[in-house]
Amino acid sequence: MALNTPLNEPGRWDFYISYALQDPCAAAFATKLQCTLANLGKTVWLHEVMPRRCEDAMQEGVRNSGCMLVVVTDGSGVAGMAYTEHVVCLQELKWASEAGTAVQTVVGVENKFQMHESLIAAPQEMFDMLATEWLDLNRGDSRYWEAGVRTLMARSRNPSIAIARMVDKQDFQGLVKALYSSNTFRKESAARALGYLSMRGYDHQDTIMRLGALEPLVQLLRSGDASSRDSAAFSLGFLAKGNDANQTAMGCAGVVESMVQMLRNDANACWVVTALGLLAEANHENQILIFRAGAISPLLDILRTGDLIVQNWAARTLCMLACTRSNRTLLARAGAVEPLVQLLRIPDGNEKAWAASAVGLLAYERSIRIVMVRFGAVEALTQVLRIEDIKAKRHAAFALGKLAWNIDNQNMIARAGAVEPLVKLLHAGHTEATRCAMDALDKLTLNNEDNQNLVAQAGAAEPLMQISRTGCAQEKFQAALILSMLAEHNNGSRISNEPTGVVEPPQTEDVEGTDMEQGR
């Protein structure tokens, strides 16, 4: 490539914007970012406005820019549209690495909490380039957008190439050392990088903790600026994920109390909400600490008035707390039932699995079931059965099974129209969802001839017969049990609504293991 005569003028740029060219949302985001930076007097290489767009021109732009802005999008769920799935995007990152061009990851606020899922699935070399500091921008809020761009410009003057290289080499010691740096951006980058590396496995978690990352991360959590505290919470959360020893160490170090204080001061501290859930996962001591620190009230405030994304993460944290039986009554007394049910009613978006799961866990307690019915849980859960999210439907079916503990509730559930979607769930091909649907149908038809007729008319016999032939021993048992009721119209042979062999959905570890490990 001839460097004496630039392929595009002026030949050097302040920023190069890399994005998934085929994604309309990414293109709109990148165009607005280019316009904003240009209005601030910055030169920007953007594919859509360059006269020459060939590969050589793109390489020229990357190599001759002060900073490459990487707009990470998930492709709106369309296969092949996400940034991490584009070969061209990977090539741009390689050029930046070879040239030493600083890389700044940028994400729209609507994709902020799906970003780490996309990165986990990314090619290793792309992950290593992007898993450092990143910045979220909100196109729908002009003040938020302008503040974010100012932060972006400040960061671009402080490249994080050294941090990226540490990630590439898995230089844990260097990253932990960077947490003690006097440079704010360097500390934040290191914290974010350690969080992403923690997501790669327990060995990384243990190594990072053994090298002494906990103390500087807690210090950053307590005394850093807002962005640094967010990065520290992110890192601490994923260091704690599924690691009992790390959870306990953080509980002893006062992490819970510091995070709850952050939550009181900033209701949109999403990574704090997430980290509290990861600290509480299957750890009774931390659950007690979270209660005692006063987290429940701000978490419920988020459920009532927060952003939808933050609400879902708050529901997840409450779900982790509800995995312990003694916590359920405390949550109900604090007023958790009504906002959880209201979250299930929100018409836009399918991400309701954690709210449905929390409702299902609370429904273990009979006294709480009465409150749920009063707040309209039956109708809300039935509505969830009709959305696309299979995990949300699974938990909704489980909760309805728990609510169907007497004849009045059985009839209410049937009138709400739950029978047909429950029968459809038998065809879902998802083992846990099928089990939860069978349990709900089992409870609905117990000593209730009207519901037996409804279930039979909805076509339950065929999938139940298939399950009775091909399912595991427990599934065969329950399918045969329901079929016998449908055939005999309940001849009085069954007297208990808790028959031996009923398969419950996962409780503590399994709830987390099934849903969170799959990216929820």
Side-chain angles (χ1 to χ4, degrees), residues 245-296:
N246 288 357
Q247 289 173 328
T248 300
M250 291 180 195
C252 294
V255 169
V256 168
E257 293 80 0
S258 297
M259 287 187 176
V260 172
Q261 184 60 44
M262 283 180 63
L263 198 59
R264 290 197 190 99
N265 297 333
D266 181 6
N268 289 314
C270 301
W271 287 120
V272 174
V273 178
T274 305
L276 284 172
L278 294 171
L279 283 164
E281 176 195 345
N283 190 297
H284 184 63
E285 291 76 14
N286 281 351
Q287 291 172 7
I288 292 173
L289 286 175
I290 290 170
F291 268 100
R292 289 179 176 173
I296 306 306

Side-chain angles (χ1 to χ4, degrees), residues 14-15 37 40-42 65-69 100-104 133 135 147-161 183-186 189:
D14 295 309
F15 297 98
L37 290 169
L40 293 171
K42 300 298 178 181
S65 291
C67 180
M68 184 165 82
L69 305 179
T101 303
V103 174
Q104 170 65 62
E133 62 188 24
L135 182 69
V149 171
R150 285 195 297 272
T151 301
L152 184 154
M153 293 175 65
R155 288 186 180 180
S156 70
R157 293 192 291 270
N158 185 63
S160 57
I161 289 296
N183 186 290
T184 300
F185 295 127
R186 185 174 175 82
S189 295

